[in-house]
Amino acid sequence: MGKAQDKAAGMPLHWKMGIGFALGLLLGLLAHAFAADAAWVDQVTRWLTTPVSTIFLNLIFMLIVPLMFSALVVGVAEMGDVSALGRIGWKTLGYTVLLSGTAVVIGLVMVNLFQPGAGVDQAMAQAMLAENAQRSSQIVASLENQPTGLEMFLSIVPSNVLAAASSNGAILSLMFFALMFGVGMVLSPAQKVAPLKRVIEGVFEVSMTLIGKVIGLAPYAVACLMFNLVVVFGGEVIVRLGAYVLVVIAALAVHMLISYSLALTFAGRSPLAFFRASQEATLMAFSTASSNATLPTALRVADRMGLPPRISRFVLTVGATANQNGTSLYEGVTVLFLAQFFGVELSLGQQVLVMVVCILGGIGTAGVPAGALPVVALICGMVGVNPLGIGLILGVHHFLDMCRTALNVTGDLVLTTLVARNEPDAAAPAVATGPDVQG
């Protein structure tokens, strides 16, 4: 009996999360099939599963601001000189655009090839639009407060750092301040800023310690999240818009298995060993549908892979918001699907515009659940598709949100591997592949 308990206690976290995911999915399907309208189901979701999952995510988000600030400042400070920061920064930007561009091209090719939204009866399309207009109008209305064009560029430089730290939409502003703060530490006399650097390193360690404790609750939160999702929609999560869902998943899979494998081979890594070592972060991202919430897990996985901390802290922190390949791909496929669904013909030039805006949208999208929806609505309006059409995908959005976030976080680790290539302290990286990969 004691040996069995020890073995269970030593089970990797990603296996525990997988069990929680499967259990929540199974119980949700059973409840949806046999007791969808029962009062006890409403009570369970209202008083148990929703509070548990909400508290878990709130605990993670509570610690994200100090973690992101300290990780980015320390990562920049450890570069040692501004020229090294510039080299790392330009490599990060270049590989981000390349990976995101590849992802969007794959998505657009597949949605044009399989035409998941073509041939829909327009009367049914309008009826579905009216049915979901109220929910989607709230998302479209949120665009009125979103900066665009030059305003968006100027908003990256915050006038109030505390306000930026308290807003998910201003996370780029907070990262800009952290970047400048780190540069200031590099340019300042080392002996004078050494105490401050130790304090910020302490903030980073405390944040990682606390988040490590919180992540121990992930299997229970994952079970609750999946139960809530499936008990409401049941098989509709996958079936109602099956063709669209399959095209998105297939495009994400192609980018994950082919594009990332080629990138890892270029970086001198074994794709199989990499995917095995990164599975904890991938599953955490899939479960929470949030790149930001998965950042601490990704940082731990990067350490176990032997990636240089000074690079991983910088690239992963920036990548949690800026390197969102899955989001770019998802946005492109969704816009073209909705155009097909409503019979709107998009020219090649319009599709190129969609691709460019999706790459930029992936960089600027908040790394939180449902962060892509306002961007999708914005792009739809640009190409003549009714933005309220996003209501058609709300039933399956969360499931696809989980899938694309898994690709985003895996892509962050691929990006870190590419940036670390040929860096002085990345000569012989070690990849953990054993049963204790979760640490």
Side-chain angles (χ1 to χ4, degrees):
M1 181 70 176
K3 291 183 179 180
Q5 289 176 341
D6 290 342
K7 187 175 180 180
M11 181 183 295
L13 179 62
H14 58 273
W15 280 108
K16 294 179 183 178
M17 290 168 59
I19 293 172
F21 176 86
L23 186 61
L25 179 65
L26 177 61
L27 293 177
L29 286 173
L30 290 174
H32 180 81
F34 299 108
D37 299 323
W40 68 266
V41 173
D42 180 67
Q43 295 298 315
V44 167
T45 55
R46 178 178 301 181
W47 299 107
L48 178 61
T49 55
T50 298
V52 169
S53 57
T54 301
I55 289 173
F56 172 76
L57 290 177
N58 285 348
L59 284 170
I60 293 288
F61 289 130
M62 176 183 71
L63 297 166
I64 283 300
V65 167
L67 174 65
M68 293 187 75
F69 177 79
S70 60
L72 193 51
V73 171
V74 172
V76 171
E78 287 180 346
M79 296 292 176
D81 61 87
V82 177
S83 62
L85 172 63
R87 183 179 68 252
I88 298 298
W90 282 113
K91 287 171 69 174
T92 300
L93 177 62
Y95 285 129
T96 294
V97 173
L98 178 62
L99 290 173
S100 296
T102 302
V104 177
V105 170
I106 290 172
L108 296 187
V109 167
M110 294 194 69
V111 77
N112 278 293
L113 181 64
F114 294 103
Q115 299 278 318
V120 175
D121 179 58
Q122 288 303 300
M124 184 190 75
Q126 294 303 318
M128 293 179 68
L129 180 63
E131 177 187 345
N132 293 281
Q134 183 176 358
R135 290 190 297 171
S136 53
S137 62
Q138 296 173 358
I139 298 168
V140 174
S142 70
L143 293 174
E144 297 176 1
N145 300 321
Q146 296 295 322
T148 56
L150 181 61
E151 226 177 84
M152 179 181 293
F153 176 76
L154 294 176
S155 69
I156 295 176
V157 182
S159 59
N160 187 327
V161 177
L162 295 179
S166 64
S167 170
N168 280 326
I171 199 71
L172 282 176
S173 302
L174 175 65
M175 292 169 63
F176 178 83
F177 174 74
L179 178 64
M180 295 302 296
F181 199 91
V183 170
M185 289 183 65
V186 171
L187 297 176
S188 300
Q191 68 275 15
K192 291 187 176 181
V193 298
L196 177 60
K197 183 180 178 182
R198 285 196 295 271
V199 169
I200 297 177
E201 287 174 343
V203 172
F204 174 78
E205 293 299 332
V206 169
S207 300
M208 287 295 290
T209 299
L210 290 176
I211 290 180
K213 299 298 182 182
V214 172
I215 288 176
L217 303 173
Y220 309 101
V222 168
C224 293
L225 285 165
M226 284 309 302
F227 181 86
N228 286 351
L229 176 66
V230 178
V231 78
V232 174
F233 297 106
E236 183 182 7
V237 174
I238 300 175
V239 174
R240 186 183 182 194
L241 300 174
Y244 162 67
V245 171
L246 288 175
V247 167
V248 174
I249 292 176
L252 293 172
V254 168
H255 190 56
M256 171 85 84
L257 300 177
I258 297 180
S259 302
Y260 286 173
S261 293
L262 290 174
L264 290 166
T265 302
F266 172 75
R269 289 268 184 157
S270 163
L272 184 61
F274 173 89
F275 289 129
R276 186 183 299 120
S278 64
Q279 59 187 335
E280 180 190 342
T282 303
L283 185 54
M284 183 70 176
F286 181 79
S287 304
T288 62
S290 170
S291 301
N292 288 345
T294 313
L295 177 59
T297 304
L299 287 168
R300 291 205 317 272
V301 168
D303 284 342
R304 289 195 297 270
M305 285 181 172
L307 295 170
R310 70 181 182 90
I311 295 176
S312 63
R313 289 173 184 172
F314 175 80
V315 177
L316 289 175
T317 304
V318 172
T321 296
N323 182 51
Q324 301 200 34
N325 304 168
T327 297
S328 300
L329 185 155
Y330 167 80
E331 290 168 354
V333 172
T334 301
V335 170
L336 263 67
F337 164 74
L338 292 175
Q340 294 170 1
F341 197 95
F342 291 108
V344 179
E345 292 287 339
L346 298 184
S347 65
L348 180 61
Q350 287 176 308
Q351 293 196 32
V352 171
L353 174 64
V354 169
M355 181 180 74
V356 172
V357 177
C358 284
I359 294 173
L360 297 176
I363 292 175
T365 300
V368 297
L373 284 176
V375 180
V376 172
L378 177 66
I379 300 173
C380 283
M382 292 174 62
V383 295
V385 179
N386 190 338
L388 294 178
I390 62 173
L392 301 177
I393 62 168
L394 292 182
V396 296
H397 173 75
H398 187 73
F399 174 73
L400 295 178
D401 205 359
M402 296 160 70
C403 295
R404 69 175 177 82
T405 305
L407 185 74
N408 287 341
V409 171
T410 307
D412 292 342
L413 290 166
V414 172
L415 177 65
T416 306
T417 305
L418 286 169
V419 172
R421 177 177 175 268
N422 294 333
E423 286 298 315
D425 50 358
V431 177
T433 59
D436 61 340
V437 70
Q438 100 286 359

